């Protein structure tokens, strides 16, 4: 443990030294620009593209007049916006921070499915599922950030697929057998017994693979056909706000359960994140770098960049020390036991050093109609959730609201990601991760390259079972404290969309209040009364249960219907201001719609009119119209 700490300290100092040299080079280039301008008495501001390439720092005279109104987006405080390219060593550290933030949510899925899949105490199978879901999540993250919406959005396992998965595995056909009551197992050799145990859970996961594989074709069709984009023409702030808001509010139970394991540790995690991200955000640490045969001291915003990582690691370290000195309860029945860091050490010992997931590793997927119909409800709920995530991610990364073609392409790529997850056999699909979107606002780093680096790290580190298993030792209250901050940030981003709406209108207040409140009430009631739904068709019952137990689907659905049926002017509904914000994206945000264009093929698409008519590709006429407006 001591050697690991020394290695971590040395690597951290190396990264900081590289960062120091990078900033010193930027300062030198900035001095050169000022000298070339020759305006000693003028005030200058750096353009948003200055961090993209140190060789292209632009200085412009600062305007004496203030813009009318308030800038609703937080990109003015961004250190790196969506198209900026931080140094590679910063991308690794920031990408690793996103990896840690998503780790708990991704890791929870195979652990939840272990028992219904009849894996039970098979740690080898658990580690294989963990490696598979991390590998696929990294692959889908690269696809989404490169070919999908191209927003800095992380893809990981989705909880919307867990409900239909558990419903499928609860059928009499797929219930786990009682091994103690099977007399035929006795007398078999250990090799055949192992084969039987492996086949016991593999036949079940193949059924889940087939359901996800076919159901995800629906998401692919919705994106490629442009049906999602057509619906978006009728979606305004009163539909988007409750959808994003309920993404954060609906997770209060999970945050409370994990934080309740030890409220003191959870509170410490929250305080540390607030301390680093807010109170110390303007405090720059003095760092030393050796350049041109002499040592130089410079100021670096370390707290602002790695606030979430420092907050979690600080609380994690305290839990380790309390565990080491045996200050925490050692009995599982005592309060505070889950704050120990030695609870899951056995998983680290049993994990394989290296495991390479591959498609079809569990066998050929099986398909049944009832399983596919139930899983389609999860696909629809995931699609609605992702649309809200796209808008939230765009606001926090300095990008304009996503155009229709980017949303269509993003949903289609998510469908492709779920298909890949089914082929690889992760037991789940993939979707956008809200907690990582919230981290963009806290760290003020919205660079696409950082999330692409995070995807690569998930692929590479997913191959090393021992490394991933180490993070299983993160105590639950530390994760709960992080959830309190992150999900609250997501809910606040949803509320911020109401800036376009006339909140003095009783119409708007009624729609907003009913949509949000029903999005909390109905899912809670359906969870408490599952037997009340009995149409005589099991597949229909399952479809109704999944849709009406998804908070963001209920809130978004009521907001959409009421906003488009209750009479109201475009100014009152916020539609006019909303569209104005979209058309004037280059003036209000740090970048324009070009950040959503596909890489390396923009000129090729512009040459062919037929390609521009596809609903998932940008149209030159549309871009010219936005530029003129």
């Amino acid at each position: 443990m001591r050697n690991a700490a020394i290695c971590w300290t040395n690597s951290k100092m190396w990264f900081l030294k590289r960062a120091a040299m990078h900033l010193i080079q930027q300062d030198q280039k900035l001095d050169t620009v000022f000298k070339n301008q020759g305006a000693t008495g003028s005030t200058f501001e750096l353009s948003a593209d200055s961090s993209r390439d140190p060789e292209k720092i632009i200085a412009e005279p600062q305007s004496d007049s203030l813009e009318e109104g308030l800038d609703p987006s937080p990109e003015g405080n961004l250190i790196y916006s969506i198209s900026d390219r931080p140094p590679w060593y910063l991308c690794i550290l920031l990408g690793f921070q996103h990896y840690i933030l998503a780790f708990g949510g991704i890791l929870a899925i195979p652990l939840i499915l272990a028992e219904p899949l009849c894996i039970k105490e098979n740690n080898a199978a658990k580690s294989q599922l963990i490696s598979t879901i991390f590998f696929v999540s990294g692959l889908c993250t690269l696809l989404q950030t490169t070919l999908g919406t191209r927003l800095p959005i992380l893809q990981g396992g989705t909880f919307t697929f867990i409900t239909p998965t558990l419903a499928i595995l609860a059928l009499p056909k797929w219930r786990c057998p009682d091994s103690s009551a099977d007399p035929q197992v006795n007398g078999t050799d250990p090799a055949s017994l192992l084969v039987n145990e492996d086949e016991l859970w593999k036949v079940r996961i193949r059924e889940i693979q087939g359901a996800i594989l076919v159901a995800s074709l629906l998401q692919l069709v919705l994106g490629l056909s442009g049906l999602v984009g057509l619906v978006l023409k009728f979606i305004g702030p009163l539909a988007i706000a409750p959808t994003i808001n309920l993404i954060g509010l609906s997770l209060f139970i999970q945050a409370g359960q994990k934080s309740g394991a030890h409220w003191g540790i959870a509170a410490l995690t929250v305080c540390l994140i607030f301390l680093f991200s807010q109170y110390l955000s303007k405090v720059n640490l003095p760092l030393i770098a050796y350049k041109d045969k002499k040592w130089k001291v410079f100021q670096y915003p370390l707290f602002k960049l790695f606030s979430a990582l420092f907050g979690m690691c600080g609380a994690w370290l305290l839990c380790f020390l309390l565990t080491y000195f045996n200050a925490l309860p050692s009995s599982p029945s005592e309060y505070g036991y889950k704050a120990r860091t030695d609870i899951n050490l056995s998983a680290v010992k049993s994990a394989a050093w290296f495991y390479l997931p591959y498609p079809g590793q569990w066998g050929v997927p099986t398909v049944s109609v009832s399983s596919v119909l139930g899983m389609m409800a999860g696909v629809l709920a995931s699609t609605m959730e992702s649309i809200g995530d796209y808008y939230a991610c765009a606001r926090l990364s300095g990008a304009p609201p996503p155009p229709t073609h980017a949303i269509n392409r993003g949903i289609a790529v998510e469908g492709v990601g779920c298909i890949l997850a089914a082929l690889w056999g992760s037991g789940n699909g993939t979707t956008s991760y809200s907690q990582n979107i919230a981290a963009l606002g806290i760290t003020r780093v919205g660079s696409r390259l950082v999330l692409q680096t995070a995807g690569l790290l998930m692929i590479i580190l997913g191959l090393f079972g021992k490394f991933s298993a180490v993070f299983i030792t993160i105590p639950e209250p530390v994760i709960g404290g992080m959830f309190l901050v992150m999900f609250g940030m997501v809910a606040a981003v949803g509320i911020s969309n109401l800036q376009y709406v006339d909140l003095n209108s009783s119409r708007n207040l009624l729609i907003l209040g009913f949509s949000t409140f029903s999005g909390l009430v109905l899912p809670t009631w359906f969870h408490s009364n599952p037997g009340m739904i009995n149409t005589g068709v099991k597949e229909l019952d399952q479809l109704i249960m999944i849709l009406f137990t998804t908070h963001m689907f209920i809130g978004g659905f009521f907001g959409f219907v009421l906003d488009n049926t209750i009479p109201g002017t475009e100014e009152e509904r916020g539609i006019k201001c909303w569209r104005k914000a979209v058309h004037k994206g280059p003036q209000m945000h740090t970048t324009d719609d070009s950040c959503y264009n596909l890489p390396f093929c923009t000129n090729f698409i512009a040459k062919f009119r037929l390609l521009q008519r596809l609903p998932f590709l940008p149209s030159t006429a549309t871009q010219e119209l936005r530029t003129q407006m």
Side-chain angles (χ1 to χ4, degrees):
M1 195 71 184
R2 182 177 301 174
N3 293 334
I6 294 174
C7 293
W8 168 252
T9 303
N10 292 337
S11 61
K12 183 177 180 181
M13 292 300 298
W14 183 83
F15 276 118
L16 295 180
K17 182 177 179 181
R18 293 284 299 177
M21 296 176 64
H22 170 72
L23 288 185
I24 290 176
Q25 292 175 358
Q26 282 190 329
D27 292 339
Q28 292 175 348
K29 292 182 177 68
L30 183 60
D31 293 338
T32 303
V33 171
F34 285 163
K35 291 178 181 179
N36 293 335
Q37 291 290 334
T40 57
S42 303
T43 304
F44 293 88
E45 65 174 355
L46 294 179
S47 72
D49 294 332
S50 62
S51 57
R52 190 174 307 167
D53 189 351
E55 301 291 341
K56 299 179 180 180
I57 295 182
I58 303 174
E60 299 176 352
Q62 188 176 16
S63 176
D64 294 330
S65 61
L66 297 175
E67 283 193 38
E68 296 182 0
L70 296 175
D71 189 357
S73 53
E75 63 269 13
N77 296 325
L78 283 176
I79 303 175
Y80 295 104
S81 61
I82 181 172
S83 299
D84 294 339
R85 304 179 64 85
W88 65 269
Y89 39 88
L90 283 183
C91 287
I92 292 177
L93 287 177
L94 293 170
F96 186 70
Q97 178 173 250
H98 281 279
Y99 173 87
I100 290 180
L101 292 178
F103 193 91
I106 298 177
L107 179 66
I109 293 173
L111 297 181
I112 292 173
L113 297 178
E115 185 173 351
L117 283 173
C118 309
I119 294 178
K120 296 181 179 179
E121 302 300 328
N122 190 342
N123 290 328
K126 288 181 183 179
S127 63
Q128 291 173 358
L129 281 179
I130 292 173
S131 297
T132 300
I133 194 170
F134 273 101
F135 183 88
V136 173
S137 297
L139 183 62
C140 294
T141 299
L142 288 179
L143 287 176
Q144 186 65 260
T145 54
T146 306
L147 301 177
T149 59
R150 291 180 55 78
L151 287 168
I153 195 166
L154 187 137
Q155 303 288 295
T158 170
F159 286 93
T160 59
F161 281 19
I162 289 183
T163 302
T165 299
L166 296 178
I168 295 171
L169 296 177
L171 297 175
K173 180 181 179 181
W174 303 116
R175 289 177 184 172
C176 298
D178 188 0
S179 59
S180 61
D182 189 0
Q184 296 180 355
V185 176
N186 298 329
T188 58
D189 58 275
S192 62
L193 181 60
L194 181 60
V195 172
N196 292 336
E197 289 181 352
D198 285 342
E199 186 62 24
L200 188 66
W201 67 269
K202 287 182 180 180
V203 69
R204 285 162 174 77
I205 199 172
R206 288 198 294 265
E207 178 72 10
I208 303 302
Q209 284 182 258
I212 297 175
L213 181 64
V214 179
S216 299
L217 295 176
L218 173 63
Q219 196 172 25
L220 181 62
V221 171
L222 288 175
L224 295 181
S225 63
L227 292 177
V228 175
L230 292 177
V231 175
L232 284 178
K233 293 182 180 180
F234 303 95
I235 292 180
L238 285 174
I240 294 296
T243 302
I244 302 177
N245 189 25
L246 287 169
I247 292 174
L249 293 181
S250 63
L251 297 172
F252 75 94
I253 295 179
Q254 288 82 352
Q257 288 175 345
K258 292 187 178 296
S259 300
H262 196 295
W263 281 107
I265 298 298
L268 174 65
T269 306
V270 172
C271 291
L272 289 177
I273 294 178
F274 270 92
L275 176 66
F276 294 131
S277 66
Q278 302 300 322
Y279 293 102
L280 299 180
S281 61
K282 297 183 179 180
V283 176
N284 298 330
L285 291 181
L287 299 179
I288 303 176
Y290 187 77
K291 180 70 174 178
D292 298 332
K293 298 182 180 181
K294 58 182 178 180
W295 293 94
K296 294 185 178 181
V297 179
F298 72 102
Q299 303 293 322
Y300 194 72
L302 200 64
F303 294 137
K304 184 184 296 184
L305 285 174
F306 305 107
S307 55
L309 180 61
F310 286 171
M312 289 187 63
C313 289
W316 190 8
L317 177 61
L318 178 63
C319 290
F320 170 77
L321 295 176
L322 294 177
T323 303
Y324 181 80
F325 292 105
N326 204 24
L328 293 172
S330 57
S331 174
S333 60
E334 296 184 43
Y335 179 80
Y337 171 76
K338 291 186 178 180
R340 298 182 65 93
T341 57
D342 58 354
I343 298 176
N344 298 315
L345 286 180
S346 59
V348 180
K349 298 178 181 179
S350 60
W353 282 102
F354 182 81
Y355 179 77
L356 178 62
Y358 58 91
Q361 56 185 332
W362 318 129
V364 180
T366 59
V367 179
S368 62
V369 177
S370 60
S371 299
V372 171
L373 290 178
M375 198 63 69
M376 279 186 176
V379 169
L380 292 175
S382 177
T383 301
M384 281 294 297
E385 180 182 354
S386 295
I387 293 175
D389 285 339
Y390 296 160
Y391 283 96
C393 185
R395 288 181 56 79
L396 293 177
S397 61
T404 302
H405 69 84
I407 294 178
N408 289 335
R409 195 168 62 247
I411 296 300
V413 170
E414 283 202 17
V416 173
C418 291
I419 292 174
L420 294 178
L423 293 176
W424 256 264
S426 66
N428 198 256
T430 58
T431 190
S432 306
Y433 260 39
S434 303
Q435 61 263 38
N436 290 83
I437 296 175
L440 301 179
I442 293 179
T443 61
R444 301 189 181 97
V445 176
S447 173
R448 178 193 300 122
L449 185 60
V450 170
L451 269 298
Q452 291 173 336
T453 306
L456 286 174
L457 288 175
M458 294 170 72
I459 293 176
I460 296 173
L461 299 179
L463 301 177
F464 298 93
K466 292 285 187 184
F467 180 83
S468 298
V470 170
F471 294 95
I472 302 176
T473 63
I474 298 179
E476 284 193 7
V478 176
I479 299 177
M482 180 266 295
F483 281 175
L484 289 175
V485 179
M486 298 300 175
F487 294 145
M489 186 73 177
V490 173
V493 170
I495 296 174
S496 68
N497 285 274
L498 298 175
Q499 64 190 298
Y500 303 104
V501 179
D502 181 11
L503 292 179
N504 292 320
S505 169
S506 59
R507 170 198 181 273
N508 295 340
L509 294 178
L510 177 62
I511 295 175
L512 176 64
F514 179 78
S515 301
T516 304
F517 199 68
S518 61
L520 295 173
V521 172
L522 287 179
T524 304
W525 186 88
F526 276 91
H527 275 302
S528 303
N529 302 274
M532 295 296 293
I533 305 300
N534 187 9
T535 62
V537 182
K538 292 183 179 180
E539 290 79 7
L540 182 58
D541 294 343
Q542 185 176 341
L543 184 66
I544 294 174
M545 278 295 299
I546 294 172
L547 290 179
F548 281 87
T549 53
T550 305
H551 300 266
M552 64 286 300
F553 174 80
I554 296 295
F557 174 78
F558 280 123
F560 171 79
V561 173
L562 295 176
D563 188 36
N564 285 278
T565 55
I566 299 178
T569 63
E570 288 191 349
E571 290 82 0
E572 184 182 12
R573 298 170 57 193
I575 299 295
K576 188 173 182 179
C577 293
W578 176 269
R579 291 173 180 170
K580 184 179 179 181
V582 173
H583 291 317
K584 294 191 176 182
Q587 298 177 11
M588 296 180 61
H589 304 86
T590 60
T591 184
D592 54 23
D593 282 353
S594 63
C595 64
Y596 295 105
N597 293 343
L598 289 172
F600 311 120
C601 60
T602 302
N603 295 332
F604 179 78
I605 295 174
K607 292 179 181 179
F608 299 93
R609 294 277 182 178
L610 180 61
L611 293 178
Q612 297 178 28
R613 294 182 179 179
L614 296 177
F616 53 89
L617 292 179
S619 172
T620 305
T622 304
Q623 291 179 347
E624 292 176 354
L625 178 62
R626 290 194 177 195
T627 303
Q628 294 174 1
M629 297 182 67

